[in-house]
Amino acid sequence: KDLSGNQYQLFSPEIESRTFEQIQLENDLFKALQRNDEFELYYQPKFDVRTEKLIGMESLIRWNHPQLGTLPPGHFIPLAEETGLITNLGEWVIRAACQQMNKWVSSGYTDLTVSANLSPQQFNQQNLVLTVADILEETGLPAKHLELELTENLIIHNTNHTLKTIGRLKELGVQISIDDFGTGYSSLGYLKDFPVDTLKIDKSFINDVTTNRNNAAITKTIITLADSLQLNVIAEGVERADQAAFLAEHGCHWIQGFYYSHPLQAETFEDHFLKSFIK
Ligand code: C2E
Ligand code: CA
Ligand code: CA
Ligand code: CA
């Protein structure tokens, strides 16, 4: 079965129009979550633009489906969200990222931060902070090595709960990044109220940043905004040298994208970016 088609259509919210394939995949997801040996985190490096040093890595989930092969998150995260399975899956992600990072920290790579993506449903669940605290304790990872990436849309809705939850995560020592920044069409006023650490400029702006004046202006504005609020700023989706040069010229702090590396399996990441670069 070819699943590389239109994922949005495939997982439309109209339950009654579910196809046999969707129900099948949901069953598979349910089973996979009980076995827990089909999911895998890939890691994509993040670099400091000025020093060109590795600063950390984003974890990105893949599902090694026994029949369908390696599935990217777009093929099953929406389904997991729709069915509520995201709670278990999201917990698996945080645990796996913390376990891996703790191994790396224990091996002497002590200046790095791993990030995990949080879906809105996961963020809004009551016991998220306790879950994160438990996982940190259980894995032994010092909280400062963990960053959670939240999307801007999540942050601007339900502000009261969000404010409290982010505050409690910060108290644990976890770092918070706003993913896909600039796509939320929100007033920027909320930024001063939320104790976040990092803005991640969405790749839709970075894509044609050197040829599209509007996207160049937005990118420069986000960098300036981050500087004046004393936040870190990272650009994602950097695929070419001209984009990297633009970002360096305009003082973007950190950078991530295919130009440097695709997301890699842990062992490959270690060989390419840890063993050779740091030690
Ligand atoms: P995202 O958080 O915005 O992650 C960035 C996506 O862009 C990743 O796709 C990454 O592989 C891809 N990417 C990185 N560099 C480049 C580049 O230079 N050019 C282009 N065109 N793409 C680049 P991926 O791994 O397929 O993930 C897609 C989305 O799925 C993520 O978007 C995130 O929203 C979600 N996701 C991934 N892993 C998890 C997870 O563990 N939990 C949850 N809740 N969501 C996840
Ligand atoms: Ca992300
Ligand atoms: Ca993003
Ligand atoms: Ca995105």
Side-chain angles (χ1 to χ4, degrees), residues 3 32 79 88 99 102 140 148 152 185 187 189-190 192 196 212 228-229 238-239 251-253 255 257 263-264:
L3 277 172
L79 178 66
N88 290 332
Q99 272 167 352
N102 194 51
L148 299 176
E152 187 180 9
Y185 309 106
S187 123
Y190 73 88
K192 66 178 186 340
V196 302
N212 180 310
S228 55
L229 292 171
V238 178
E239 296 179 350
C252 188
H253 308 175
I255 207 161
L264 302 171

Side-chain angles (χ1 to χ4, degrees), residues 121-141:
Q121 281 88 336
Q122 198 185 352
F123 184 82
N124 288 325
Q125 100 207 31
Q126 284 304 321
N127 54 0
L128 172 74
V129 180
L130 281 179
T131 304
V132 172
D134 282 350
I135 291 173
L136 287 170
E137 192 177 318
E138 164 200 323
T139 59
L141 181 71

Side-chain angles (χ1 to χ4, degrees), residues 93 96 106 191 259:
V93 167
S106 304
L191 267 185
Y259 182 57

Side-chain angles (χ1 to χ4, degrees), residues 39-72:
F39 300 108
E40 182 174 3
L41 291 184
Y42 279 50
Y43 297 88
Q44 188 179 35
K46 303 177 182 181
F47 297 95
D48 185 299
V49 174
R50 213 169 37 82
T51 65
E52 298 183 347
K53 276 200 176 135
L54 182 73
I55 57 134
M57 63 297 271
E58 175 175 9
S59 67
L60 294 154
I61 194 171
R62 302 289 181 263
W63 179 8
N64 299 316
H65 188 286
Q67 282 87 41
L68 301 171
T70 304
L71 299 180

Side-chain angles (χ1 to χ4, degrees), residues 206-267:
I206 304 303
N207 183 34
D208 56 359
V209 75
T210 55
T211 51
N212 180 310
R213 290 166 77 202
N214 291 337
N215 288 342
I218 290 168
T219 299
K220 286 192 272 183
T221 302
I222 296 175
I223 295 169
T224 307
L225 179 73
D227 279 335
S228 55
L229 292 171
Q230 292 178 296
L231 302 176
N232 293 309
V233 60
I234 181 167
E236 69 175 2
V238 178
E239 296 179 350
R240 303 181 311 269
D242 63 299
Q243 298 165 312
F246 179 97
L247 292 161
E249 186 189 336
H250 292 95
C252 188
H253 308 175
W254 298 333
I255 207 161
Q256 177 185 355
F258 294 167
Y259 182 57
Y260 304 95
S261 173
H262 282 253
L264 302 171
Q265 289 176 295
E267 203 179 324

Side-chain angles (χ1 to χ4, degrees), residues 195-211:
V196 302
D197 302 281
T198 302
L199 306 181
K200 183 179 258 198
I201 308 172
D202 191 66
K203 61 173 173 283
S204 61
F205 303 116
I206 304 303
N207 183 34
D208 56 359
V209 75
T210 55
T211 51

